[in-house]
Amino acid sequence: MGAYILRRLLLVIPTLLGIMILNFALTQFVPGGPIEQMIAKMEGRGDVFETIAGGRGDIEIAAPHEDNAASRYVGARGLPEEFITELEKEFGFDKPPVERFLTMMWDYVRFDFGESWFQSKTVVDLVLEKMPVSLTLGLWSTLIAYMVSIPLGIRKAVRDGSRFDTWTSGAIIVGYAIPGFLFAILLIVLFAGGSYWRVFPLRGLVSDDWESLSAIRKLLDYFWHISLPVLASSISGFATLTLLTKNSFLEEIKKQYVMTARAKGLTEKRVLYGHVFRNAMLIVISGFPALFIGVFFGGSVIIETLFSLDGLGRLGYEAALSRDYPVVFGTLFAFSLLGLVISIITDLTYMFIDPRIDFGARG
């Protein structure tokens, strides 16, 4: 087993390196880099992408034959050559791409993620500042999805083909078909003062007077605020997890060992939760990292925007738009590493649930 864990840990290195190389290479060809962004902000012209798309006709672009630093950047014509050179030096673009990549990776290996180019904060401070929102959405959405879907999937497997199985299948498929952002808008319209009832607040994780509340009221206020965004984030996960649990249980129930257990006189509850559950849950557990990481890192941008929550989703989106590369690559490195480590932990969880599994014996 130790050899297997060591192999998996060593595999993390080339995998993570490949992710970083691919994304770094792609950014070299994307128009509207950080220097163009800085020039656009300093000249009060808004977003540089308006220039690239032709939305701002008043920005002059240097002629192709001009061989100077300013001619390489959109909207830089007329700016002093020394100023552009200083900007390149500040952002590190005076060095070749390979040297910049190697320097960046050396810093990341030492967990030095640098400072945001446009927010005057370190990347670590920005992530820690946004983390509570993403933790709330990711953790609670995943827990609720598992707490509802696993019992429901087991119930559907036991009553396969019944009216209960039919109408619950229809309900979860409809829920799966509704986009998360559309469901969030529906919740806002119905329960957050949109057009009907103002039962839940529309913005923030806590109220403005949260610090002055008692411990119990702080907890209630927290759950009051997160009810709608968590529900909107978790709705799409119910269908996949429920049907996965149901099909996994159905497959196990038909096996010989279940028939033998029933023939010995064991109760149905003992058969389901003492024998079938352990084997059926293996495939369900395998989806936990993907579900959690998907909600935690990638699926919350629209939800955060609709409910005025400032989390990692919006941080990554805004960093990508502004070409804030320290934030983009720093979070990419950290979260990719976290995802790879979680996948190893998932394999170890397999062994904890079913000791018969031994990854170290493979090959």
Side-chain angles (χ1 to χ4, degrees):
M1 185 60 192
Y4 170 75
I5 296 177
L6 180 61
R7 289 197 302 269
R8 288 295 304 272
L9 290 174
L10 292 176
L11 188 60
V12 166
I13 298 175
T15 304
L16 188 59
L17 186 61
I19 292 172
M20 298 302 296
I21 290 175
L22 179 61
N23 284 274
F24 185 85
L26 289 175
T27 60
Q28 307 308 306
F29 304 100
V30 176
I35 293 181
E36 286 95 333
Q37 291 283 356
M38 181 62 72
I39 292 172
K41 290 179 182 294
M42 294 181 65
E43 295 186 348
R45 302 184 188 273
D47 200 307
V48 70
F49 300 108
E50 295 179 356
T51 303
I52 296 173
R56 298 294 296 254
D58 58 334
I59 294 180
E60 297 183 49
I61 302 177
H65 66 272
E66 295 184 21
D67 188 16
N68 53 50
S71 68
R72 297 196 297 270
Y73 303 106
V74 175
R77 185 175 183 178
L79 292 176
E81 178 80 13
E82 296 78 12
F83 175 74
I84 299 298
T85 303
E86 186 64 28
L87 271 183
E88 289 182 330
K89 185 176 180 180
E90 180 180 349
F91 287 114
F93 286 94
D94 58 329
K95 302 174 182 177
V98 175
E99 183 179 348
R100 284 189 282 119
F101 177 77
L102 293 177
T103 302
M104 180 185 72
M105 292 303 299
W106 173 242
D107 290 337
Y108 289 175
V109 167
R110 296 179 290 126
F111 294 99
D112 178 10
F113 298 108
E115 183 175 319
S116 168
W117 285 342
F118 300 104
Q119 300 191 50
S120 300
K121 293 182 180 179
T122 66
V123 175
V124 173
D125 288 341
L126 282 172
V127 170
L128 292 178
E129 181 182 318
K130 316 297 183 183
M131 187 71 77
V133 170
S134 295
L135 272 178
T136 293
L137 293 179
L139 184 60
W140 287 113
S141 298
T142 305
L143 287 178
I144 290 175
Y146 270 78
M147 290 171 62
V148 173
S149 297
I150 291 178
L152 180 59
I154 295 174
R155 184 72 170 175
K156 287 173 62 63
V158 173
R159 302 183 60 179
D160 183 41
S162 66
R163 293 180 60 184
F164 172 82
D165 181 41
T166 302
W167 73 259
T168 52
S169 294
I172 62 176
I173 290 175
V174 169
Y176 180 75
I178 299 176
F181 75 91
L182 187 60
F183 187 66
I185 294 174
L186 177 64
L187 292 176
I188 291 173
V189 170
L190 291 178
F191 302 113
S195 298
Y196 294 91
W197 306 282
R198 190 176 184 83
V199 180
F200 297 96
L202 184 57
R203 64 184 63 247
L205 283 182
V206 293
S207 301
D208 294 335
D209 61 343
W210 189 78
E211 293 293 341
S212 63
L213 301 177
S214 63
I216 298 297
R217 293 189 63 187
K218 283 182 178 180
L219 187 63
L220 293 176
D221 183 77
Y222 170 73
F223 284 112
W224 182 47
H225 278 76
I226 69 172
S227 297
L228 295 187
V230 167
L231 183 58
S233 298
S234 58
I235 189 68
S236 62
F238 286 127
T240 302
L241 193 55
T242 300
L243 296 179
L244 184 64
T245 303
K246 175 191 173 182
N247 294 334
S248 181
F249 261 77
L250 282 177
E251 183 180 353
E252 291 295 324
I253 288 174
K254 297 175 182 179
K255 291 185 177 179
Q256 185 65 40
Y257 75 90
V258 177
M259 299 175 60
T260 303
R262 287 171 173 167
K264 289 182 177 180
L266 296 180
T267 63
E268 190 68 14
K269 184 176 181 181
R270 179 70 181 277
V271 172
L272 287 177
Y273 294 99
H275 294 77
V276 176
F277 185 84
R278 176 185 297 177
N279 298 323
M281 283 298 99
L282 288 175
I283 190 172
V284 176
I285 289 175
S286 67
F288 179 85
L291 180 61
F292 176 73
I293 293 176
V295 176
F296 186 56
F297 299 132
S300 58
V301 179
I302 299 179
I303 302 299
E304 289 175 9
T305 302
L306 289 174
F307 290 98
S308 300
L309 299 173
D310 194 9
L312 292 175
R314 288 183 64 182
L315 174 66
Y317 175 72
E318 292 171 357
L321 283 184
S322 63
R323 300 297 190 263
D324 197 345
Y325 290 158
V327 176
V328 172
F329 290 117
T331 53
L332 176 66
F333 179 89
F335 296 152
S336 297
L337 179 61
L338 179 61
L340 293 170
V341 172
I342 288 179
S343 68
I344 298 175
I345 295 175
T346 302
D347 288 349
L348 298 180
T349 308
Y350 285 157
M351 295 186 59
F352 176 76
I353 294 179
D354 190 349
R356 296 173 300 174
I357 296 178
D358 184 6
F359 291 104
R362 296 192 309 176

